[in-house]
Amino acid sequence: MRTALTALRGCLPPLLVHLLIGVPAALAVLCLRWYIAYGHCEYDDLGRRDLDGCTYDQIENSGFALIALILISGLVLLLLLVFDVLRPLNAGRPLRPRLLTLPAVLIPYAAYVMNGGG
Protein backbone atom coordinates (compact mmCIF):
# COMPACT_ATOMS: atom_id res chain seq x y z
CA MET A 1 0.00 0.00 0.00
CA ARG A 2 2.81 2.35 0.83
CA THR A 3 4.40 1.95 -2.61
CA ALA A 4 1.12 2.75 -4.36
CA LEU A 5 0.80 5.99 -2.39
CA THR A 6 4.33 7.06 -3.24
CA ALA A 7 3.71 6.32 -6.93
CA LEU A 8 0.51 8.38 -6.87
CA ARG A 9 2.24 11.18 -5.01
CA GLY A 10 4.65 11.54 -7.93
CA CYS A 11 1.86 11.78 -10.51
CA LEU A 12 -0.65 13.88 -8.58
CA PRO A 13 0.92 17.35 -9.10
CA PRO A 14 1.30 16.89 -12.88
CA LEU A 15 -2.26 15.57 -13.06
CA LEU A 16 -3.64 18.62 -11.26
CA VAL A 17 -1.63 21.02 -13.43
CA HIS A 18 -2.82 19.30 -16.61
CA LEU A 19 -6.41 19.54 -15.39
CA LEU A 20 -5.93 23.28 -14.86
CA ILE A 21 -4.32 23.67 -18.29
CA GLY A 22 -7.33 21.79 -19.66
CA VAL A 23 -9.66 24.71 -18.94
CA PRO A 24 -8.13 27.03 -21.57
CA ALA A 25 -7.62 23.99 -23.81
CA ALA A 26 -11.38 23.37 -23.67
CA LEU A 27 -11.98 26.99 -24.67
CA ALA A 28 -9.60 26.54 -27.60
CA VAL A 29 -11.48 23.43 -28.74
CA LEU A 30 -14.80 25.27 -28.49
CA CYS A 31 -13.43 28.19 -30.55
CA LEU A 32 -12.11 25.71 -33.11
CA ARG A 33 -15.48 23.95 -33.38
CA TRP A 34 -17.29 27.28 -33.81
CA TYR A 35 -14.80 28.48 -36.41
CA ILE A 36 -15.08 25.25 -38.38
CA ALA A 37 -18.87 25.53 -38.36
CA TYR A 38 -19.25 29.26 -39.10
CA GLY A 39 -15.83 30.65 -40.05
CA HIS A 40 -16.55 30.28 -43.75
CA CYS A 41 -19.23 33.00 -43.62
CA GLU A 42 -18.54 36.29 -45.39
CA TYR A 43 -20.74 39.22 -46.36
CA ASP A 44 -21.08 37.85 -49.90
CA ASP A 45 -22.68 34.70 -48.45
CA LEU A 46 -25.70 36.45 -46.93
CA GLY A 47 -27.89 35.98 -49.98
CA ARG A 48 -26.79 32.44 -50.84
CA ARG A 49 -28.92 29.56 -49.66
CA ASP A 50 -26.29 26.84 -49.95
CA LEU A 51 -24.04 28.09 -47.11
CA ASP A 52 -26.10 27.30 -44.02
CA GLY A 53 -27.85 30.67 -44.01
CA CYS A 54 -25.01 32.74 -42.58
CA THR A 55 -26.08 35.60 -40.34
CA TYR A 56 -24.50 38.97 -39.57
CA ASP A 57 -23.53 37.77 -36.08
CA GLN A 58 -21.68 34.78 -37.47
CA ILE A 59 -19.83 36.95 -39.96
CA GLU A 60 -18.87 39.56 -37.39
CA ASN A 61 -17.81 37.01 -34.76
CA SER A 62 -15.67 34.85 -37.03
CA GLY A 63 -12.69 37.21 -36.70
CA PHE A 64 -13.02 37.24 -32.91
CA ALA A 65 -13.25 33.44 -32.81
CA LEU A 66 -10.11 33.10 -34.94
CA ILE A 67 -8.13 35.54 -32.81
CA ALA A 68 -9.33 33.86 -29.60
CA LEU A 69 -8.43 30.47 -31.05
CA ILE A 70 -4.90 31.59 -31.88
CA LEU A 71 -4.30 33.33 -28.54
CA ILE A 72 -5.75 30.60 -26.34
CA SER A 73 -3.99 27.84 -28.29
CA GLY A 74 -0.71 29.73 -27.94
CA LEU A 75 -1.27 30.05 -24.20
CA VAL A 76 -1.98 26.33 -23.85
CA LEU A 77 1.10 25.38 -25.87
CA LEU A 78 3.25 27.78 -23.85
CA LEU A 79 1.98 26.39 -20.54
CA LEU A 80 2.56 22.81 -21.69
CA LEU A 81 6.04 23.65 -22.95
CA VAL A 82 7.02 25.38 -19.72
CA PHE A 83 5.51 22.81 -17.37
CA ASP A 84 6.20 19.58 -19.28
CA VAL A 85 9.58 20.30 -20.86
CA LEU A 86 11.48 23.31 -19.57
CA ARG A 87 10.92 23.02 -15.81
CA PRO A 88 11.81 19.32 -15.57
CA LEU A 89 14.88 19.72 -17.78
CA ASN A 90 16.16 22.65 -15.71
CA ALA A 91 15.61 20.77 -12.45
CA GLY A 92 17.06 17.50 -13.78
CA ARG A 93 13.82 15.59 -13.19
CA PRO A 94 12.41 12.96 -15.56
CA LEU A 95 9.67 13.90 -18.03
CA ARG A 96 7.80 10.61 -17.60
CA PRO A 97 5.31 11.56 -14.81
CA ARG A 98 4.28 14.67 -16.70
CA LEU A 99 3.90 12.91 -20.03
CA LEU A 100 1.83 10.12 -18.47
CA THR A 101 -0.76 12.61 -17.24
CA LEU A 102 -0.78 14.75 -20.42
CA PRO A 103 -4.14 13.34 -21.68
CA ALA A 104 -5.76 14.89 -18.59
CA VAL A 105 -5.70 18.19 -20.52
CA LEU A 106 -8.79 16.99 -22.40
CA ILE A 107 -10.82 16.06 -19.30
CA PRO A 108 -12.47 19.52 -18.83
CA TYR A 109 -13.67 19.50 -22.45
CA ALA A 110 -14.91 15.91 -22.11
CA ALA A 111 -16.81 16.88 -18.95
CA TYR A 112 -18.41 19.80 -20.81
CA VAL A 113 -19.52 17.52 -23.65
CA MET A 114 -20.80 14.85 -21.26
CA ASN A 115 -22.97 17.45 -19.51
CA GLY A 116 -24.80 18.24 -22.72
CA GLY A 117 -22.67 21.08 -24.05
CA GLY A 118 -21.45 21.27 -27.61
Side-chain angles (χ1 to χ4, degrees):
M1 183 71 169
R2 185 167 266 237
T3 59
L5 289 176
T6 56
L8 286 177
R9 192 177 308 151
C11 290
L12 192 59
L15 178 66
L16 292 175
V17 170
H18 284 135
L19 285 173
L20 289 174
I21 294 174
V23 174
L27 290 175
V29 171
L30 290 174
C31 286
L32 178 65
R33 286 181 60 188
W34 190 94
Y35 193 76
I36 288 172
Y38 304 112
H40 66 274
C41 295
E42 296 179 1
Y43 286 110
D44 297 336
D45 300 329
L46 286 173
R48 297 178 62 184
R49 294 175 188 234
D50 59 343
L51 285 177
D52 303 328
C54 296
T55 64
Y56 282 108
D57 291 336
Q58 292 167 348
I59 293 169
E60 291 173 356
N61 291 334
S62 64
F64 173 74
L66 181 61
I67 291 170
L69 173 64
I70 292 170
L71 291 177
I72 294 171
S73 299
L75 173 69
V76 169
L77 289 176
L78 180 69
L79 289 173
L80 288 174
L81 179 70
V82 167
F83 180 75
D84 288 337
V85 178
L86 298 178
R87 282 189 62 212
L89 289 179
N90 286 341
R93 286 181 270 166
L95 298 176
R96 189 172 184 209
R98 286 169 165 72
L99 296 179
L100 286 174
T101 60
L102 187 59
V105 169
L106 298 175
I107 290 176
Y109 178 72
Y112 170 76
V113 171
M114 292 295 288
N115 286 323

